[in-house]
Amino acid sequence: MDIFEAQERIQTLTNELKEHNYNYYVLAQPTISDFEFDQKLKELQQLEEQFPQFAADDSPTKRVGGEVNKEFKTVKHRYPMLSLGNTYNREDLNDFDARIRKAIGDDFEYVCELKYDGLAIGLAYKNGKLKQAVTRGDGVQGDDVTANVRTIRSIPLSLRGDNYPDDFEIRGEIVMTRSGFAKFNAQREKEGAQAFANPRNAAAGSLKLQDSAEVAKRPLDCYLYYVLGENLPAQNHYDNMMAAKAWGFKVPNYIAKAKTIDDIFAFIDYWDVARNELDFDIDGIVIKVNDYAQQQQLGFTAKSPRWAISYKFKTEQAITELLEITYQVGRTGAITPVANLEPVALAGTTVKRASLHNADIIEELDLHEHDFVKVEKGGEIIPKIVGVDLSKRKPGSKKVKYIENCPECGAKLVRQEGEANHYCPNEYHCPPQIKGKIEHFVSRKAMNIAFGEATVNALYEQGYVRNIADLYDLKKEQILKLEGFKEKSAENILKSIEESKTVPFEKVLFALGIRYVGQTVAAKLAEYFGSMENLMKATEKELMMVDEIGDRITESLLSYFADEDNLSIINRLAVAGLKFEIEKEASQESNILQGKSFVVSGKFSIARDDLKKMIRNFGGKNVSAISSKTDYVLAGDAMGPAKLKKAEKLGIPIISEEEFMKMIAK
Ligand SMILES: [Zn+2]
């Protein structure tokens, strides 16, 4: 492809992908498959690497993040971000309505909208491009989270149409969908990370991550509800929201005009029930006077506008009897106590179980056997117990005693300092944990072996596979004995196991299921140490040298490699022929850069990843942040000024691409 063709293709792909992004994330009406989308995105990524000069600033490839913020800049809001007055009762709404009618008469309209339960955000656009995203903070100033917000697919980086003002701000709420939250939390638990209590906390936690690439992986969405600025197309709220929708913002259809207080009550009644069907949490309804001139006439109190109010739904509660507490052992060995309840109707569903999360919560509630408990269904999908009805406590009832031994294997439970959950430490002999490890090992992101939970279960129950190394000794006759397997499907499994031997080292490392070693950490370790052998030899000090590896991960790695059972499994996997080192290109192999660490930053004549590969192939190490231990900074064009300054301050040699090439040519 020549340079002109490349430029044209990049433009075409950029435009197409933007359109598909909009269809998928804003309209929820995709017109191509995920696979086709990924193919196009990959093609664009490759072209942009070859021809970085043609990559658009708002290219869809930039949605994957990459910028890392050590701290967020505090920014003053151009228009203060006031909170609305709120109420839980309808009397107050009647009063609100009466006050407004007294001030401006009866000739006006309300607009009713949902009150999203997420994180308020202000987005500034200049000439149709997203310039800045700032959190509410204290209302006067907030945090600049632009890099993270850019990864949220439903937020347009550049606007559609041409009738938007040159300079305006739009406000909305960043939320995590309920379905996305459930999947995300399950994944976290699987990796041994603390689960989030509800979608709002998960959204807030995500937005404050330092690594925007990590934010890009979180299922975040953004609903917009307020436009501010000069030269807006309309003089009322509703029409401006409709205009914003046409500019490409996600303005949901759950917005309605109302003339009377009864219209408002009807809207509230409807959503008080229908909210259970939404894929995101709302905690109430917002009511605004539509017309800007009338808003101005009504003005503000010290804290909030007089022309708007939010009505909050009461969280529904029910009282029911606690029948029994059972304890689940997760795949990571984490113990979760579950309250089994006398079934009770709550928020449109029948509740039979409630999560108790951990021992502290049981202690806090001072739970006794057969207590009558108050159950609440808030943002959480699983209801929670918020209190005990002491008037119904039976005399002489015993306090709930937390179990001391694992209900699955009998091992004595442990609880590490600072951890909320108890764990079963019997990692390699506790059935759910063994199965969990095998499931994780075969999963798509790890070894990608083509079978699921049911097969793992069957192989385990039959005694054929009791650890991950057993997979490589599996015989066809054994698989054929499992229910539902025929010649062909058994062969497919064996083929898939065979193919897993080509899975790269970093994935193998991730697949081992070492606690706290997720995909990113595994990749960093693989990159740094290059082989299993080096990693296993690494001392605490050496492990701590790796970017983003702290005490917790170091400790976990050291104890993993100190365990005899693990060493024997690793040994068997090595014999089976799994990849235990990163690929080197044989032709270039040399150790001229042995022991030297590099930070590669900026744009080069070749792809950055290729440069990193060369560093590895010559025995060097890639690290992502500059520290006093860095040996060289390999600087290309447009390297960040902060990095440059840091390198200069620490006196680290800064070399150009040309100098680097000379270095390895020696
Ligand atoms: Zn156990």
Side-chain angles (χ1 to χ4, degrees), residues 406 408-409 424 426 430 433:
C406 174
E408 295 276 349
C409 73
C424 166
N426 194 10
C430 179
Q433 296 192 65

Side-chain angles (χ1 to χ4, degrees), residues 138-153:
D138 62 5
V140 177
Q141 50 184 32
D143 289 336
D144 182 338
V145 289
T146 313
N148 287 348
V149 161
R150 288 174 76 91
T151 67
I152 300 174
R153 276 26 170 225

Side-chain angles (χ1 to χ4, degrees), residues 599 625-631 646 650 652:
V599 171
I626 297 173
S627 74
S628 57
K629 292 168 198 140
T630 311
D631 289 299
K646 186 157 187 198
L650 293 169
I652 294 159

Side-chain angles (χ1 to χ4, degrees), residues 123-279:
L123 307 171
Y125 284 79
K126 265 201 183 136
N127 302 318
K129 305 258 187 245
L130 173 65
K131 277 290 162 240
Q132 197 172 45
V134 183
T135 62
R136 177 196 294 280
D138 62 5
V140 177
Q141 50 184 32
D143 289 336
D144 182 338
V145 289
T146 313
N148 287 348
V149 161
R150 288 174 76 91
T151 67
I152 300 174
R153 276 26 170 225
S154 58
I155 294 179
L157 300 181
S158 47
L159 302 181
R160 306 168 71 82
D162 51 14
N163 70 332
Y164 43 79
D166 295 341
D167 187 1
F168 71 98
E169 183 178 332
I170 187 161
R171 287 186 182 159
E173 201 91 351
I174 291 178
V175 300
M176 191 177 277
T177 57
R178 287 175 176 170
S179 50
F181 170 73
K183 262 189 246 161
F184 169 66
N185 243 0
Q187 182 62 31
R188 273 179 80 82
E189 279 180 351
K190 218 169 146 181
E191 286 169 5
Q194 186 86 35
F196 283 104
N198 55 45
R200 180 177 9 89
N201 290 1
S206 301
L207 209 59
K208 290 299 180 66
L209 288 171
Q210 293 182 347
D211 183 358
S212 59
E214 196 51 43
V215 184
K217 294 181 200 153
R218 305 274 172 103
L220 297 175
D221 207 344
C222 182
Y223 296 106
L224 286 312
Y225 50 67
Y226 192 24
V227 193
L228 296 118
E230 321 276 315
N231 306 319
L232 297 179
Q235 281 314 303
N236 68 73
H237 173 61
Y238 187 89
D239 291 341
N240 279 332
M241 288 320 294
M242 292 304 120
K245 194 174 192 167
W247 302 335
F249 290 105
K250 196 159 184 173
V251 176
N253 291 326
Y254 323 117
I255 174 170
K257 289 187 193 172
K259 282 299 276 180
T260 67
I261 190 75
D262 288 334
D263 293 344
I264 293 175
F265 287 149
F267 191 84
I268 289 174
D269 289 338
Y270 176 78
W271 283 108
D272 199 2
V273 178
R275 65 184 161 125
N276 294 313
E277 312 293 320
L278 293 170
D279 192 30

Side-chain angles (χ1 to χ4, degrees), residues 372-439:
F372 280 80
V373 293
K374 290 177 202 155
V375 190
E376 213 176 81
K377 207 168 175 184
E380 296 79 12
I381 294 161
I382 303 164
K384 63 176 178 189
I385 294 177
V386 293
V388 174
D389 185 347
L390 290 175
S391 68
K392 289 188 175 162
R393 179 171 285 172
K394 291 175 185 114
S397 73
K398 275 189 274 174
K399 204 176 144 131
V400 168
K401 199 166 169 291
Y402 204 84
I403 51 165
E404 287 177 357
N405 295 83
C406 174
E408 295 276 349
C409 73
K412 196 156 172 54
L413 299 181
V414 293
R415 190 182 196 186
Q416 256 146 17
E417 222 184 284
E419 296 257 352
N421 287 93
H422 282 75
Y423 277 89
C424 166
N426 194 10
E427 226 179 309
Y428 304 100
H429 304 100
C430 179
Q433 296 192 65
I434 300 171
K435 286 187 225 167
K437 282 206 183 307
I438 301 169
E439 273 167 35

